[in-house]
Amino acid sequence: MILRKPDFYDTFKCIASQCTDTCCVGWEIDVDRNSQEVYNKVAGTFGEKLRANIEDGHFKLLPHDRCPFLTGVNLCEIYTNLGEGALCDICREHPRFVEVYGNVMERGLGLCCEEATRLLLAGNGPLAFVNEECDEPEDELSEDDSEICNEVLYEREYIFRTLADFDKPFGNRLYDAFGYTGDKPSAPLNDARGLYELLAKTESFGPAWDEALARIKARVDAAGAIQDAAQSKTASGVKNIVGVENAAGLQDEGYFSETESARLLAYLVYRHYAKCLFEGREDGKRNFALFFWNAVRFFTRELADIPASETNKASEINGIAELNSAAHEKQTAQRVKINAIKILSRQLEYSEENMEIIEKELDG
């Protein structure tokens, strides 16, 4: 079988207490059967604590959905007491994911993890993949299913090659890969309010998302008020306001470079597109990449919960202007981008129900 992974996959290592977030808060943590058997045999006080904090195959979370084995400095007591090998499957593997398509096994890293997102954005060129042989058994497919699988993977490879062709202008690559044009910047939806309204249809994972969605709504509503005022003045014979959406802030906030955008789009296609083999919604899965990218670039600050006062204009952040504090600005911009991507990933990519809502809306 062929094992495929993104070029940064093997460099990933959990940064533990250095992470500004933690995957040990806000998630239901399953304890697999083998780990449960190991924990049942642990002696002493720590063994008693282990068994007392497992219920119905899950760790019993503390207030604010905090894992009972997470210390005050965000280190795992199971890891420090028993070693990495004693972690339950989900803790050992997260944020890794795996998919199998016939004779191809694909691995990757979920973008709800800030270190995974940092590695994705840090690449200087197009997203590349590493292929190697592995001993895992391949899925047995019928001749017809194998042909369909090859067609889907071929179509996906076309998208990868198109986005990776840095000799072409970025806009041309977007058109060739997705049919995306600048005439409708918030495609596959009509406008930024459409982006918000579709996000609002999803089931919230918790207060952090509720607050982010409220910030997005406030900005969209403010933009609508400006547009209404402009249209009213135009109807009264006053010349229209130039750049109404820019005045309202409903344009690309400018945090993501073309290279970062191309890598993010390719990675989203990598993770989701080929799943149409099992779930259908081929157009919805391709358009999901566009939807995610446009949502994260239109609402970067709102998702990241970063006040506009912390940042300079987008051109300054991206190093176009000469700044006295260039290093600080770039660090701030990086933090904003990572925070925006990881909260959107958590809300959408880690909920089958939410992915189905989005994909059905964008399919066809």
Side-chain angles (χ1 to χ4, degrees):
M1 174 176 272
I2 298 171
L3 172 62
R4 176 176 293 154
K5 50 195 175 182
D7 52 11
F8 60 87
Y9 181 87
D10 288 335
T11 65
F12 172 79
K13 185 177 181 181
C14 176
I15 58 176
S17 60
Q18 297 177 44
C19 186
T20 61
D21 198 355
T22 174
C23 53
C24 304
V25 175
W27 302 86
E28 183 178 83
I29 305 172
D30 297 330
V31 182
D32 57 280
R33 184 175 299 175
N34 290 338
S35 297
Q36 177 88 59
E37 291 176 358
V38 170
Y39 300 157
N40 287 339
K41 298 173 183 177
V42 176
T45 303
F46 187 66
E48 294 174 2
K49 180 177 180 178
L50 271 170
R51 291 182 286 277
N53 282 282
I54 298 175
E55 185 175 67
D56 297 329
H58 308 288
F59 287 133
K60 294 193 290 187
L61 300 181
L62 300 176
H64 307 294
D65 291 337
R66 189 176 180 88
C67 176
F69 300 102
L70 187 65
T71 70
V73 291
N74 286 346
L75 292 176
C76 173
E77 286 186 290
I78 297 176
Y79 186 101
T80 55
N81 279 274
L82 304 177
E84 183 178 2
L87 295 175
C88 54
D89 287 349
I90 194 169
C91 293
R92 185 169 54 251
E93 287 298 315
H94 186 80
R96 301 167 184 85
F97 64 83
V98 60
E99 300 289 347
V100 177
Y101 307 110
N103 67 341
V104 178
M105 172 181 283
E106 298 189 339
R107 289 189 173 273
L109 303 167
L111 298 182
C112 69
C113 169
E114 66 183 53
E115 177 62 7
T117 299
R118 186 192 69 78
L119 290 170
L120 172 64
L121 298 180
N124 292 322
L127 182 65
F129 300 95
V130 176
N131 294 325
E132 59 189 46
E133 294 289 334
C134 71
D135 295 329
E136 297 292 330
E138 60 184 66
D139 274 0
E140 293 188 12
L141 300 177
S142 68
E143 186 175 342
D144 288 344
D145 287 344
S146 180
E147 184 176 342
I148 294 171
C149 181
N150 289 336
E151 289 175 358
V152 167
L153 294 180
Y154 181 83
E155 176 65 22
R156 195 183 61 166
E157 288 295 331
Y158 169 77
I159 297 174
F160 292 156
R161 290 196 308 271
T162 301
L163 291 172
D165 187 0
F166 279 31
D167 290 333
K168 275 187 178 180
F170 183 54
N172 290 7
R173 283 180 274 155
L174 287 175
Y175 179 78
D176 291 342
F178 301 102
Y180 181 92
T181 69
D183 294 339
K184 194 164 68 171
S186 54
L189 299 172
N190 290 327
D191 51 35
R193 178 168 288 280
L195 294 174
Y196 159 73
E197 289 175 348
L198 184 48
L199 288 172
K201 291 181 180 180
T202 60
E203 182 179 347
S204 170
F205 72 76
W209 174 254
D210 296 337
E211 293 165 6
L213 191 64
R215 290 190 294 269
I216 292 171
K217 182 180 187 301
R219 181 153 159 246
V220 169
D221 288 346
I226 292 175
Q227 288 178 315
D228 289 344
Q231 290 168 358
S232 175
K233 289 183 178 180
T234 302
S236 302
V238 180
K239 288 186 177 180
N240 197 4
I241 299 173
V242 177
V244 171
E245 282 204 333
N246 275 330
L250 283 185
Q251 292 287 336
D252 182 347
E253 292 196 317
Y255 286 88
F256 293 89
S257 68
E258 291 183 356
T259 297
E260 291 169 334
S261 292
R263 287 176 64 86
L264 176 60
L265 284 163
Y267 197 69
L268 292 166
V269 169
Y270 174 70
R271 178 161 193 185
H272 299 289
Y273 180 70
K275 291 180 185 178
C276 67
L277 289 166
F278 316 120
E279 303 168 356
R281 303 191 296 272
E282 179 180 349
D283 288 342
K285 292 182 185 300
R286 179 173 50 243
N287 285 332
F288 173 78
L290 272 181
F291 173 78
F292 189 108
W293 173 62
N294 273 325
V296 84
R297 72 190 183 101
F298 269 64
F299 303 120
T300 315
R301 286 196 308 266
E302 288 75 21
L303 289 166
D305 192 17
I306 301 295
S309 59
E310 278 200 32
T311 61
N312 290 332
K313 293 178 182 178
S315 60
E316 296 172 329
I317 290 171
N318 283 322
I320 297 173
E322 293 183 3
L323 300 173
N324 294 328
S325 56
H328 170 73
E329 294 299 337
K330 287 183 179 181
Q331 185 179 25
T332 299
Q334 185 77 345
R335 175 165 57 92
V336 171
K337 289 181 284 192
I338 289 172
N339 287 349
I341 288 175
K342 72 180 185 181
I343 191 173
L344 190 59
S345 172
R346 181 174 178 178
Q347 170 65 13
L348 301 182
E349 295 186 287
Y350 287 82
S351 166
E352 292 181 5
E353 293 81 7
N354 286 346
M355 288 299 295
E356 186 173 351
I357 289 169
I358 300 291
E359 289 173 359
K360 282 185 174 179
E361 189 82 12
L362 303 179
D363 195 41

